[in-house]
Amino acid sequence: MNQYQLPSQEKKPEYVRSNFDGIAKAYDRFNDWNSFFLHRSWKDWVVREAKKRVPGAKSALDLCCGTGDITLRLSKDRTLDRVVGLDFSEKMLSFAFHKIPKDPRVQLLIGDAMDLSQFADHSFDIVTMGFGLRNVSDLKKCLLEIKRVLKKDGVFVNLDVGRVRPKFLKFFADFYFFKIVPIFGYLLYGKANEMFDYLPHSSKVYPDQETLAKILMELGYREVRFQNFVFGNAVAHIATN
């Protein structure tokens, strides 16, 4: 692993926002390459699971929506009357605007996942998040804001990196994540960008599967469980408000 240093908690929000702006044009292909296109099926699973948990859902909020992959999937569900995608990177959102067909049910907004004050309490049946929770500077504050805007019995589904559980695979998973994945980013972007090093290194300070499940329960979420993908390389947590 190289000598890359994560930004401090104080500098993290601006660091993440500006650097995501910088890699927005390569981000979709980067996700395809580094996950061997598997992220697409994981995001399909997120939406299916959310709808399964709240079959009568009418509203959904996709936080840290980036280029709009999960927002697009939610928008295709015609039983939802309101779909909001929110991200604090204006450049990433610009790609979401091009990806998602114009639809009066769908809003794409610039905003901070830790400050959802533009939404009233109990506004959404579903809240989703894809590879964004580890980028916030205060994880518990973000989870409490999500809980506030969820309706009673609403569901939160979070997709992010996990810990590979089989010990004999962990070495190979770490080598790939920390050494190979940044190279994909450099090739796609055309030059080095710290964000492609940040993405794997941010996983080192992000809670593992069991710890995040415990945090969710401590904050008052119910029926918390998680689903590992590819031996835990990625994981989805599902929690009811």
Side-chain angles (χ1 to χ4, degrees):
M1 298 178 192
N2 61 29
Q3 299 302 310
Y4 172 82
Q5 295 292 317
L6 287 167
S8 67
Q9 291 301 98
E10 295 75 21
K11 294 180 179 179
K12 187 175 182 178
E14 178 56 26
Y15 178 92
V16 171
R17 186 200 62 75
S18 61
N19 279 284
F20 266 124
D21 277 349
I23 66 169
K25 68 177 182 180
Y27 192 65
D28 282 347
R29 283 177 294 159
F30 174 71
N31 283 335
D32 283 341
W33 283 24
N34 78 59
S35 73
F36 299 97
F37 292 85
L38 290 172
H39 76 101
R40 299 185 183 199
S41 63
W42 302 338
K43 291 166 181 173
D44 290 340
W45 188 95
V46 165
V47 173
R48 284 198 308 271
E49 187 65 22
K51 286 294 295 182
K52 187 191 302 183
R53 283 286 190 102
V54 194
K58 295 298 181 183
S59 55
L61 171 64
D62 182 29
L63 294 174
C64 302
C65 70
T67 61
D69 277 359
I70 295 176
T71 311
L72 174 61
R73 286 163 169 78
L74 289 166
S75 73
K76 290 179 178 179
D77 187 332
R78 305 306 298 184
T79 67
L80 290 172
D81 295 332
R82 184 189 186 196
V83 176
V84 179
L86 182 143
D87 199 279
F88 69 168
S89 167
E90 188 172 356
K91 199 66 176 287
M92 294 284 274
L93 272 180
S94 71
F95 285 89
F97 275 106
H98 288 295
K99 183 184 294 184
I100 300 170
K102 288 185 178 180
D103 186 326
R105 299 176 305 122
V106 181
Q107 289 179 287
L108 294 173
L109 305 174
I110 296 174
D112 185 346
M114 292 194 305
D115 179 9
L116 304 177
S117 54
Q118 68 265 54
F119 305 119
D121 295 358
H122 317 303
S123 294
F124 296 96
D125 297 297
I126 292 168
V127 176
T128 59
M129 207 167 184
F131 300 102
L133 188 58
R134 74 184 189 279
N135 296 326
V136 303
S137 59
D138 190 328
L139 182 143
K140 289 186 177 180
K141 180 180 179 181
C142 181
L143 292 175
L144 285 171
E145 269 292 83
I146 291 168
K147 194 173 189 304
R148 180 185 66 78
V149 301
L150 268 175
K151 295 179 182 178
K152 180 173 171 49
D153 298 322
V155 68
F156 171 49
V157 188
N158 178 66
L159 174 66
D160 216 309
V161 297
R163 301 290 198 282
V164 174
R165 284 309 181 220
K167 290 183 178 179
F168 71 96
L169 287 177
K170 188 176 186 304
F171 171 81
F172 298 101
D174 284 349
F175 180 82
Y176 176 76
F177 200 25
F178 287 87
K179 293 295 188 181
I180 306 302
V181 166
I183 293 173
F184 287 156
Y186 301 155
L187 290 172
L188 287 166
Y189 186 60
K191 59 182 178 180
N193 184 294
E194 284 190 357
M195 206 59 180
F196 297 118
D197 288 297
Y198 164 85
L199 292 170
H201 278 80
S202 63
S203 68
K204 295 167 67 176
V205 295
Y206 182 68
D208 63 23
Q209 288 90 314
E210 293 80 8
T211 301
L212 182 57
K214 182 179 179 182
I215 291 170
L216 286 162
M217 289 186 285
E218 288 173 348
L219 294 177
Y221 287 90
R222 300 178 290 114
E223 301 172 23
V224 178
R225 72 177 186 88
F226 59 85
Q227 173 69 44
N228 284 323
F229 302 108
V230 194
F231 305 106
N233 271 289
V235 59
H237 283 78
I238 310 98
T240 301
N241 191 22

